[in-house]
Amino acid sequence: LAKLHSGPINMSGQDEVYDQCLIEVGEDFSNQDLIKCISGRWSSYEKEDPLEFSRSVLLVYSASLIFFMQAGFAMLCAGSVRSKNVRNTMLKNLLDACGASVAFFTVGYAFAYGGDNKNLD
């Protein structure tokens, strides 16, 4: 788990919660203990900063709208072609959605939630 976490991305308090829980559960820990610790601390973190929680809800809601928009576009494309080509257009739209999500996680996430660079002298 520590190898997955060691990136430059810092999302306002999540790193601190994770690091505190790693220290608390110690060297010999199970994933379940770590998840319990993180969820307990994160729920108290939500109470401290309700604006951050509402931003997260808005982000998930917006992402779901975008994926439903992609499905609507797939239906539009399927209605625009002959019946023998519907399967091809559906596959094209599915691959487009998969490619866009992979591109976001490889490039876009770093731009949207990149770490703070305090050494901008």
Side-chain angles (χ1 to χ4, degrees):
L1 282 175
K3 287 182 181 177
L4 292 176
H5 176 65
S6 64
I9 298 171
N10 184 6
M11 289 184 61
S12 68
Q14 289 183 357
D15 286 340
E16 290 85 12
V17 170
Y18 181 80
D19 292 337
Q20 289 170 358
C21 285
L22 274 180
I23 292 169
E24 185 178 311
V25 295
E27 187 75 26
D28 240 3
F29 67 90
S30 67
N31 289 339
Q32 191 172 19
D33 293 337
L34 187 61
I35 291 171
K36 283 181 185 177
C37 178
I38 290 173
S39 63
R41 293 206 184 215
W42 192 252
S43 63
S44 65
Y45 182 73
E46 285 174 10
K47 294 173 188 168
E48 292 173 7
D49 191 8
L51 185 62
E52 185 67 30
F53 179 70
S54 62
R55 286 180 184 156
S56 298
V57 169
L58 181 64
L59 179 73
V60 170
Y61 178 69
S62 300
S64 65
L65 286 178
I66 295 298
F67 276 106
F68 281 125
M69 182 181 69
Q70 186 73 24
F73 185 68
M75 295 298 125
L76 177 73
C77 287
S80 300
V81 297
R82 295 174 68 182
S83 60
K84 68 178 187 168
N85 295 326
V86 169
R87 186 178 293 175
N88 293 334
T89 59
M90 289 297 187
L91 181 63
K92 178 187 72 82
N93 281 294
L94 177 68
L95 291 175
D96 179 44
C98 293
S101 52
V102 167
F104 175 76
F105 283 117
T106 56
V107 178
Y109 190 86
F111 284 119
Y113 301 106
D116 296 331
N117 189 0
K118 297 187 180 18
N119 297 327
L120 293 176
D121 298 334

